[in-house]
Amino acid sequence: MFRLFLFAALLTMSGELRAETAAEKAGFAPRLLIYNARGPANSCGAGCDRWIAIEGQVDVGAAARVARFLRDAKDTTRPIYFHSPGGSVRPSYVIARMLRGRKAVARIGRTLAAACASGTQVDAACVKIKSAGGEIEAELTTRNAMCNSACGYQFLGATTREVAPDAVMAVHNSKLTLVVHGQVSAQQMAEFKQRGMANADRERAAFVTSMGVSRELDDLIKTVKFETLHVLTRAELYRFGIDKRSLLETPWTFETAARPYVRKLATARQGDGAAFRSMEWRLFCEAKTRARLMFVRESAEDAGNRTVMLMAGPQKSIAFGKYPARVGKYEVWSDIVAPEAMQAMLAASRLQMGEGSPAAEGKTSVSTFDIDTLGLEGAWTRLLASCPADSPRPAAASTNLNAAPPAATATPAK
């Protein structure tokens, strides 16, 4: 009887080893969806307006659907954006190996179909639209996007992996659920579960290393209980070899808050180390001809006087001064942007951040790094529509940091 039970359990285990909790399923389609999406110019990066979306729970039949889709896909250069809470583990391994053979570019992001704007993006009508085939008009955002649990195994299959500063990748150990027919003792059940999880651990360890990722990731996963999640820090993503970029940035995006503003996030590696630091730019419109730029970052360990400057070419710069406001662990720098400086920012393809700090013999040490202007012109145009008429006295920008991403980490490379 035990051999029969073992055989039956092995037949069903591929669909029973799961890596997402019930709470994580909320807000996601009950099965994995894959479809083509098309958005405005530069939606998925400079010169990119088409991508592949993979979203929803990873179900037992997911690998077969993904295989059919990729077999028929003519454009093999489109980036793939994931948004999923996880699900069945073994289909995720299969999908990962498909992506590895395709040399895919994978990112974490939410695809918002225009035809589903009045719904929830996962109701029955919207799922039907996304499953119908063809190309769907959509918007793409990395904010609050996630690839958790089993989704992460799919993500590891890509040869190029990018996790935006405002997106999340989280891990935890899997859970083995058995379907038993007949009488089985508690001891037999415990022995099989132990054997099954040991096999699952070996399979996962081999998979992780085969994807070119450090074994440290597998060691971490084993320590995280199924009922919880560990959000990978930027330092871990870098150290494990999941995302090896030293500077990560989002496009400039328009934010519809009580006081609208334009926002950009970045994380940057500190020097040659593995530590990262978060940064954020917020552009406010105080009048039709006057803007204010706020620069927010995690405080430096040394609190000495520093000069921070944003440059759009050698003659157009915004100097933030030496004395930022401090809100919790953040430094907040703020200054008015003159009209000619704003025009220079809009015309530039890249901006340069410079920081001066005291050095020996009264000299100043200067470090710089570049950020792009992707999305700035469109976001600024939208912001202008909400601008008040010119007034003689500019209002100070709010230093409320509630929208600052807790998982973002960054610092300018020296």
Side-chain angles (χ1 to χ4, degrees), residues 2 119 123 160 163 196 227 252 268 359 379:
F2 179 75
D123 58 24
T160 300
V163 184
E227 294 77 14
W252 297 81

Side-chain angles (χ1 to χ4, degrees), residues 185-238:
S185 71
Q187 181 179 352
Q188 289 172 329
M189 179 75 77
E191 287 175 355
F192 181 76
K193 281 187 175 182
Q194 183 178 15
R195 222 180 268 117
M197 287 307 301
N199 289 335
D201 286 345
R202 284 193 293 271
E203 187 176 9
R204 184 185 61 242
F207 169 80
V208 166
T209 55
S210 72
M211 295 296 112
V213 176
S214 170
R215 181 66 180 266
E216 286 185 88
L217 174 61
D218 181 62
D219 294 338
L220 172 63
I221 289 173
K222 287 188 290 189
T223 68
V224 183
K225 293 182 179 180
F226 171 76
E227 294 77 14
T228 63
L229 276 172
H230 172 80
V231 176
L232 294 176
T233 66
R234 183 55 52 183
E236 287 171 335
L237 290 167
Y238 182 85

Side-chain angles (χ1 to χ4, degrees), residues 240-284:
F240 297 160
I242 297 172
D243 187 343
K244 293 287 288 182
R245 293 176 295 164
S246 294
L247 175 66
L248 311 90
E249 48 188 318
T250 66
W252 297 81
T253 56
F254 177 73
E255 302 293 331
T256 54
R259 183 184 180 186
Y261 62 97
V262 174
R263 182 184 195 224
K264 181 183 181 67
L265 300 174
T267 63
R269 189 162 62 104
Q270 292 227 67
D272 296 328
F276 283 76
R277 191 179 181 190
S278 66
M279 297 172 285
E280 178 175 338
W281 293 262
R282 295 188 186 184
L283 186 63
F284 296 86

